[in-house]
Amino acid sequence: MSDSTILEVKDLQHIYMEKTPLEHQALSGVSLSVEEGESIAIIGNTGSGKSTLIQHFNGLMRPQRGEVTVEGQYLSDPKLDVKALRRKVGLVFQNPEDQIFEKLIGDDIAYGPLKMGLPLKEVRDRVKWAMELVGLSFEELKDRVTYALSGGQKRKVALAGVLALKPKILVLDEPTAGLDPRSRQELLDQIVRLNEKENMTVIFVSHNMEEVAYLAKRIYVLADGRNLIDGTPGDIFGNSEVLSKHHIGAPQTVEILAQLKARGYPVNLKAYEIETAAKEMVSVLQSFRR
Amino acid sequence: MSQPFIQVEGISFEYTINNHKTVPVLENVSFDVHPGEYVTIIGHNGSGKSTLSKHFNGILKPLSGNIYVDGLNTREANLQREIRQKVGMVFQHPDNQIVATIVEDDVAFGLENIGVPSSEMKARIDFALDAVGMSEFRKRPPHHLSGGQKQRVAIAGILAMKPDCLVLDEATSMLDTYGRRDILDVVRRLNNDGMTIVSVTHHMSEVAEASRVIVIEKGQIVLDGAPREIFQQYELLHQLQLDVPLASQLARLVHEYDNEFQADLIHNEEIIQEVMRLSAKRGVYVG
């Protein structure tokens, strides 16, 4: 493990309801290593263990077998300071409703910083900072009730609540599911900014391969509770064999290119970005002449 | 024209946000859905589309105006049961819809409530679980399933009730590509068999599957038409914080470089066909 490793997982296993007839092994040996400031996507078929895995990162689940370390600290340690860990690792769940419990938006986002014992001025600043970061107007929305929010707005509130803790590692489970196209793009841009400008380490789980292609510098592929391969988006999306074998989608651009390739057109599957995919198609079409 | 299955007549709705303020969500919305139609409703977060969809089986009642399902007014409390049997609704978050501790019991839950004989129940559960590809999970506890698997169970629970109309409120937004494709296949098959489909979604490739798309902005209908027509209005959709399917974007880009390539495509398969058509027309591959 190098000095800049911020999170490491070694041979992590998890069995739900062990030694009962309903026993189910969700993780059967996952190992991964994340450097500080990286942006990592974890992809895999439904049931591959992604959500179980990331719940280990902030101590919500403790390792049954194997190890998880954050900045060298073992999360299986019974004397682990869970509060300190959760300030370091912010986790945003898939269902934002689960994470919102205050009546007013501003109060909900302030909850974490208040519990940290920060002075009121600082709490207010952080709430404002976090709200504007996710595209919620502080003045307009801080005194609104949370229950009248749409699903997409709730997601932004939940994310702001985690960001207000200024975590070093941001863990997101399906960050943009349920957001409209514009909100999705805005949120992705904000996450890119947090990652690049604030050096926040980002680890996210997603089914949306366009989002994975946009946000991740490196991708881990999970199947049946194990990590299979990791690499850049180009490497992973170009590996259509592994993806289709494990029922993992590729970006739609790659799917179209793969279908063209299957029909004998010499296109490069690594051209997952829409402009490069379009250029691939144009150059192929120009190569047909009488 | 057939008698509409759902008639939305000038409905309005608002939420109270604090003691002094209300936010209008729907303003004087009217449209009809005919039997066998496949309608998608799109709009940005907070545009009112989910609120609208919750009116279709009487979960929400309009403040003014009326909604009729197969001629039944959703305001009538004593028609509630009948209306909900006609219009099944699947939501974004499966956790809120799953009640039982074993998958097949969850699918059976609605059937027990409406008194389906147990002889028929098994066939209906088999059909529903098979339709969503979850048969092998029938004895599993749902809370250990992944989000996508749970959603398929929730959809099975609705399908088992054999409704005339299925309303999906962002029901695929938590599913992976394959899960979504499975659900869309199911929906397409149900629609081919005559079921009316109303789907609220953010996935423009899903919209391309439908026969009609309604665009909602600030609680009002701003566009209503066939997907191919609507998706040509790229600038307007962008202003409404919406998008077009990837196939449309790709077709437009390729068209910019190569103007023989058709720009108004909306399905991935059409892109493939267009490449094949043009390459065949132009001759042979010379590298």
Side-chain angles (χ1 to χ4, degrees):
Chain A
M1 149 173 168
S2 76
D3 281 350
S4 54
T5 301
I6 193 162
L7 183 141
E8 191 162 44
V9 178
K10 275 189 193 158
D11 196 27
L12 183 66
Q13 303 181 32
H14 188 87
I15 301 172
Y16 284 108
M17 303 185 80
E18 200 172 0
K19 293 178 184 125
T20 74
L22 299 175
E23 183 172 296
H24 171 64
Q25 183 144 14
L27 297 178
S28 34
V30 173
S31 299
L32 53 89
S33 174
V34 179
E35 306 271 298
E36 184 164 8
E38 270 198 295
S39 180
I40 300 277
I42 299 171
I43 65 173
N45 185 12
T46 39
S48 60
K50 306 180 299 282
S51 293
T52 306
L53 172 64
I54 62 168
Q55 287 181 59
H56 283 83
F57 295 167
N58 76 341
L60 268 183
M61 294 176 90
R62 299 295 186 92
Q64 285 176 344
R65 287 175 201 86
E67 283 168 9
V68 181
T69 50
V70 172
E71 291 191 313
Q73 196 174 23
Y74 287 89
L75 302 197
S76 49
D77 183 353
K79 284 179 288 189
L80 176 77
D81 182 351
V82 177
K83 266 190 170 170
L85 176 68
R86 291 193 185 151
R87 283 204 285 274
K88 211 179 283 177
V89 185
L91 178 61
V92 185
F93 292 101
Q94 206 177 90
N95 301 345
E97 288 91 327
D98 299 349
Q99 230 161 330
I100 293 173
F101 42 88
E102 289 281 356
K103 195 173 163 222
L104 300 181
I105 293 174
D107 291 351
D108 193 81
I109 298 167
Y111 183 84
L114 276 174
K115 286 283 164 197
M116 279 168 74
L118 295 172
L120 274 179
K121 167 85 173 60
E122 165 90 20
V123 171
R124 197 182 157 86
D125 289 348
R126 283 196 181 199
V127 170
K128 189 163 188 275
W129 173 79
M131 283 181 76
E132 314 230 298
L133 210 53
V134 299
L136 295 171
S137 159
F138 177 72
E139 294 304 331
E140 200 181 312
L141 293 171
K142 68 176 167 29
D143 298 324
R144 280 256 188 116
V145 289
T146 47
Y147 63 77
L149 292 173
S150 73
Q153 287 166 324
K154 278 183 184 163
R155 180 163 296 260
K156 292 181 181 179
V157 171
L159 178 60
V162 169
L163 289 176
L165 295 166
K166 300 205 171 170
K168 290 181 86 163
I169 306 177
L170 182 62
V171 184
L172 304 145
D173 196 352
E174 299 287 350
T176 69
L179 292 187
D180 63 59
R182 164 106 50 105
S183 303
R184 179 182 303 156
Q185 192 55 49
E186 284 172 359
L187 195 62
L188 290 178
D189 288 340
Q190 279 141 359
I191 297 171
V192 167
R193 211 167 66 220
L194 283 168
N195 175 242
E196 289 176 355
K197 298 271 186 306
E198 314 256 340
N199 201 34
M200 202 179 269
T201 306
V202 175
I203 304 174
F204 69 103
V205 162
S206 180
H207 287 138
N208 183 329
M209 294 303 149
E210 278 70 32
E211 170 176 311
V212 170
Y214 188 78
L215 200 53
K217 299 286 183 311
R218 200 154 61 88
I219 300 172
Y220 277 98
V221 178
L222 240 61
D224 304 321
R226 289 174 195 283
N227 53 311
L228 295 178
I229 46 171
D230 69 287
T232 64
D235 292 341
I236 300 295
F237 294 138
N239 195 339
S240 52
E241 242 168 72
V242 169
L243 292 184
S244 64
K245 184 177 169 214
H246 293 283
H247 276 242
I248 300 167
Q252 284 192 60
T253 44
V254 177
E255 286 184 1
I256 291 171
L257 293 175
Q259 284 187 48
L260 288 173
K261 194 169 185 178
R263 286 178 165 82
Y265 294 94
V267 289
N268 183 358
L269 297 188
K270 289 190 177 187
Y272 62 88
E273 285 167 313
I274 185 160
E275 288 83 6
T276 51
K279 281 178 190 151
E280 277 290 308
M281 289 169 54
V282 171
S283 87
V284 163
L285 282 172
Q286 283 169 350
S287 307
F288 280 85
R289 270 175 246 128
R290 296 216 180 269
Chain B
M1 200 76 178
S2 57
Q3 169 78 15
F5 183 69
I6 298 174
Q7 287 168 276
V8 179
E9 290 185 356
I11 65 161
S12 298
F13 190 81
E14 61 187 32
Y15 282 113
T16 305
I17 56 165
N18 60 31
N19 295 338
H20 323 287
K21 252 177 144 179
T22 55
V23 186
V25 186
L26 298 173
E27 290 181 77
N28 196 21
V29 173
S30 299
F31 63 97
D32 290 339
V33 176
H34 289 268
E37 261 195 298
Y38 185 166
V39 182
T40 51
I41 300 175
I42 60 175
H44 63 77
N45 294 128
S47 61
K49 58 192 185 322
S50 271
T51 303
L52 176 61
S53 72
K54 290 189 180 78
H55 279 81
F56 295 150
N57 69 349
I59 294 175
L60 295 177
K61 311 280 192 292
L63 277 180
S64 59
N66 289 294
I67 296 202
Y68 300 92
V69 172
D70 209 3
L72 309 175
N73 193 328
T74 61
R75 290 180 182 280
E76 307 280 339
N78 58 343
L79 298 177
Q80 194 91 298
R81 216 186 165 102
E82 205 178 330
I83 287 170
R84 295 218 173 141
Q85 230 168 295
K86 288 178 186 292
V87 180
M89 194 148 173
V90 183
F91 301 93
Q92 182 176 7
H93 296 296
D95 287 340
N96 306 343
Q97 314 177 65
I98 285 178
V99 288
T101 53
I102 297 290
V103 165
E104 63 178 1
D105 292 353
D106 194 80
V107 178
F109 180 78
L111 300 178
E112 284 165 3
N113 277 349
I114 60 169
V116 172
S118 52
S119 54
E120 195 189 328
M121 222 185 255
K122 189 182 172 298
R124 288 218 200 176
I125 295 169
D126 288 349
F127 156 78
L129 284 173
D130 186 51
V132 299
M134 287 297 287
S135 299
E136 58 175 308
F137 294 87
R138 63 187 301 154
K139 301 288 181 192
R140 290 268 194 98
H143 61 281
H144 284 164
L145 300 177
S146 70
Q149 291 166 333
K150 281 184 206 167
Q151 189 64 315
R152 288 193 250 164
V153 173
I155 293 176
I158 301 294
L159 292 183
M161 307 282 283
K162 300 200 171 164
D164 299 310
C165 174
L166 183 63
V167 177
L168 303 128
D169 186 3
E170 293 190 46
T172 65
S173 68
M174 294 295 164
L175 304 192
D176 61 21
T177 316
Y178 285 82
R180 175 176 309 131
R181 212 170 289 166
D182 289 347
I183 298 300
L184 290 180
D185 285 347
V186 171
V187 168
R188 200 179 306 125
R189 215 161 48 229
L190 293 168
N191 182 243
N192 287 341
D193 292 344
M195 190 180 283
T196 311
I197 309 287
V198 181
S199 174
V200 173
T201 182
H202 285 308
H203 287 274
M204 299 305 151
S205 53
E206 253 175 78
V207 176
E209 297 268 328
S211 50
R212 177 177 165 201
V213 50
I214 293 174
V215 184
I216 302 274
E217 165 71 4
K218 295 200 176 107
Q220 294 179 321
I221 295 178
V222 289
L223 290 170
D224 182 346
R228 194 180 306 278
E229 225 169 85
I230 304 287
F231 286 138
Q232 300 320 308
Q233 313 196 39
Y234 191 83
E235 275 74 31
L236 178 58
L237 288 174
H238 197 73
Q239 278 170 31
L240 297 170
Q241 309 184 19
L242 297 169
D243 217 339
V244 299
L246 179 114
S248 301
Q249 295 175 38
L250 196 58
R252 285 168 67 97
L253 272 174
V254 177
H255 175 80
E256 272 179 34
Y257 297 111
D258 188 335
N259 59 23
E260 255 194 289
F261 197 92
Q262 255 181 277
D264 66 342
L265 309 177
I266 60 172
H267 296 287
N268 291 1
E269 184 53 33
E270 291 175 342
I271 300 269
I272 312 287
Q273 294 304 325
E274 183 65 359
V275 170
M276 291 170 69
R277 180 187 75 86
L278 270 187
S279 56
K281 187 180 154 199
R282 287 177 184 179
V284 291
Y285 186 73
V286 292

